[in-house]
Amino acid sequence: MAQQRKALWEADLDEDFHDVDLNLAIGNYGQNGLYDDAAQPRIDEATLIAVQQQVAQQAALAAIPDPVKRFIIHFHQAVLDNNLGEITVAYESGWNRLTEKFYAKTEWPEAEVIAPLVNDDQIFLILYRELYYRHVYSRIQPDIDDRYHSYENSCELFNYLLNSDGPVPLELPEQWLWDIIDEFIYQFQSFCVWRSKVKAKTEEELMVLVDGNQVWSSYSVLNVLYSLIQKSKINEHIVALQEGKGKDEINEIVGEYGSRPLYRMLGYFSLIGLLRVHSLLGDFTLALKVMDSVELNQKSPFTRVTACHVTTYYYVGFCYIMLQRYPDAIRAFVSVLNFILRMRQYHTRSYQYDQINKTADRMYALFAICNALSPSRVDDNILNVTKERYGEQLAKMSRGEEGLPAFEELFLYACPKFISANPPPYEEAELLQAYMEDPPTEPAQRHLSLFLADVRAKAPVPTLRSFLKLYTSLDASKLANFLDADEEEMVQQLMVMKRASRSVSRMENEKGLLGGQITSTSDLDFVIDENMVNIAESTVGRRYAGWFIRSTEHAQRVLDTIRHAALPISTIKSAAPAPAHSKDTPTNATATVNPSRSGGQRVAWGASVKAV
């Protein structure tokens, strides 16, 4: 019966579907390989990677402390609103405070992790990465990926600013704008120094350097700075201000970009950046040339950012040293060092306090070099601080040839970290091997040799000067005996001294940093009349007004300190009333005093004094 029922069911099925194409109705499910075991792992692997990345990102976002999340959201909203006050507080205070608390020795969260907090705002993420990589460079040793990614982010930022359709709707505080330019140049300098150390490279790093030979190139960095200057028309803006033109006239001259504070200040800071880059590359004349329109005074815009102020004078002064214009270098250093001394109490509040102090210390070293090569009357405060820090080197540098090691020591300490414009030949294995076997001279050593050549030529001057200061007239043969030289060699040394006492120096109200006239830089002059050397010394009286002002200010500070100091607490107890004398007590009896446990007499401030 079962077989019959089965046959009947099969017969009915065949009858029902006799005219139906079952292959068409059912299709080829399971026959096209989509659900084969070989294909299933590929789908699972791709899906699994995506899910793992999403889970990891969510876990990283959850791991961010709540104060940091609130700060990022608030920071993003301030940038959206172009609220300069809130941006400044978040940038100068909030970021650094949270860094010290949560990320002193670690990286901040990556931009991709915090993207959900800012609705994936790409402009804010570019600005965030700028802060992120600056933190990596300052607190953590960057690896090759950090160096390349920081360059890519800088390119994205400057492309957004320079290649958008019209000025971008973005406002940032001047301090941040300066830091963007300053950090861009610092990362370029750091990459060039790292790239030049061929022997320390791994195979992977060598391959990356071969493929990315245009990353952090000198051309790309200079192109950005010159493009910002051209886009903002900052030179035309400065000239128009100097000519006394009105705001409307200036806006018409500089156009829609130059009239915006963002582009105007980026262009202005790019001038300072070019000064720095050309100095690092060793072109000191061009470095000063790009600053032609910038006036070095307390009213210039760069003085509004202390770090920019100090950087400007440091590089201007160093360029003057390399051009052998020591009086101009002294004036530059004295000006900014006096500013730092006056504003020292305010610098402690700045997050860049340590960097400013380091730069100031290097300028004191450079000032010591200039004062040794071109002695002149300078500010007593600066000279005293220099003697405290570099008194030993100052004494050595006044001894001629014996002082060369001191000059070398101070120069290498205080000079910038020079870079080479041409990278090692990573593309050619043979050339790279030859480069490693016979490496070129380090840029710092090359500039040191040029500097020491000038110092060595002027080595006889201190000794000759010390003899001439003792006389008003001196026989040439006698002076030759003092110098242990014949008369011909003595005349050569006198000519060297005459040349050393002449220098190109800027005059007051003179435009351009390269201009100037040849002036005498020494208070000692002489003429040779046949066999006699006639000496004339000009003395400058002491400036008593400044001395009295400084002494009065110092006395006022001491008095204010004493007035605000807390009075010491006295520990003396009130004396007990003296007992009444009885008639039997002699009036001339000597009272016995019980000494204190400390064995001495108590004094007003609670101490005890031993009886002698």
Side-chain angles (χ1 to χ4, degrees), residues 183-196:
E183 187 66 19
F184 178 62
I185 297 172
Y186 170 74
Q187 292 177 8
F188 162 65
Q189 177 188 15
S190 175
F191 183 85
C192 290
V193 173
W194 172 82
R195 182 180 57 188
S196 64

Side-chain angles (χ1 to χ4, degrees), residues 209-360:
L209 286 170
V210 170
D211 296 334
N213 56 356
Q214 294 302 317
V215 172
W216 287 120
S217 66
S218 302
Y219 172 79
S220 61
V221 173
L222 292 172
N223 183 48
V224 166
L225 298 176
Y226 278 110
S227 297
L228 287 171
I229 293 172
Q230 184 178 5
K231 181 72 74 173
S232 64
K233 295 186 178 179
I234 186 60
N235 286 316
E236 292 84 347
H237 184 276
I238 296 174
V239 172
L241 280 178
Q242 293 171 353
E243 293 176 352
K245 295 185 182 297
K247 183 177 180 180
D248 294 336
E249 291 181 277
I250 294 176
N251 289 340
E252 185 178 351
I253 292 172
V254 299
E256 58 177 347
Y257 286 93
S259 58
R260 298 289 298 273
L262 176 77
Y263 287 93
R264 182 170 64 249
M265 294 312 299
L266 280 175
Y268 191 88
F269 292 142
S270 294
L271 290 174
I272 313 299
L274 282 177
L275 165 71
R276 180 178 174 184
V277 172
H278 288 308
S279 299
L280 296 176
L281 293 172
D283 195 341
F284 307 107
T285 301
L286 184 56
L288 294 179
K289 182 66 177 176
V290 297
M291 293 280 290
D292 268 348
S293 58
V294 178
E295 294 182 343
L296 295 185
N297 55 45
Q298 299 302 322
K299 297 180 181 179
S300 295
F302 65 77
T303 59
R304 299 201 291 262
V305 180
T306 303
C308 180
H309 187 181
V310 174
T311 299
T312 302
Y313 276 89
Y314 167 76
Y315 282 100
V316 167
F318 187 82
C319 288
Y320 279 137
I321 289 178
M322 298 307 293
L323 296 176
Q324 302 178 19
R325 296 177 58 166
Y326 303 113
D328 288 336
I330 289 175
R331 277 196 293 270
F333 293 139
V334 168
S335 174
V336 71
L337 290 174
N338 270 325
F339 166 78
I340 294 174
L341 287 177
R342 288 196 304 269
M343 304 297 289
R344 183 167 43 192
Q345 56 182 335
Y346 303 106
H347 293 160
T348 56
R349 306 174 189 175
S350 172
Y351 65 96
Q352 294 180 328
Y353 175 72
D354 292 337
Q355 185 61 38
I356 292 173
N357 269 349
K358 290 178 182 177
T359 306

Side-chain angles (χ1 to χ4, degrees), residues 371-473:
N371 196 54
L373 293 173
S374 180
S376 58
R377 180 171 292 278
V378 294
D379 188 275
D380 291 338
N381 285 338
I382 305 301
L383 188 58
N384 291 336
V385 175
T386 305
K387 288 180 178 179
E388 289 175 6
R389 300 186 183 187
Y390 303 108
E392 182 180 352
Q393 288 88 343
L394 272 174
K396 291 179 180 178
M397 288 188 293
S398 62
R399 299 174 187 168
E401 288 282 351
E402 298 179 12
L404 287 178
F407 279 107
E408 180 177 352
E409 175 189 354
L410 291 184
F411 183 89
L412 290 177
Y413 166 70
C415 72
K417 289 185 178 179
F418 296 106
I419 57 178
S420 176
N422 299 319
Y426 286 106
E427 299 83 358
E428 300 289 340
E430 296 181 0
L431 294 177
L432 185 61
Q433 184 63 31
Y435 182 94
M436 295 174 62
E437 294 175 357
D438 186 18
T441 306
E442 291 288 333
Q445 292 295 326
R446 186 165 60 250
H447 291 293
L448 172 64
S449 63
L450 294 173
F451 170 73
L452 289 182
D454 178 58
V455 175
R456 193 174 287 106
K458 297 176 181 177
V461 173
T463 304
L464 185 57
R465 177 184 172 85
S466 64
F467 285 126
L468 294 181
K469 287 178 71 70
L470 300 176
Y471 298 89
T472 56
S473 62

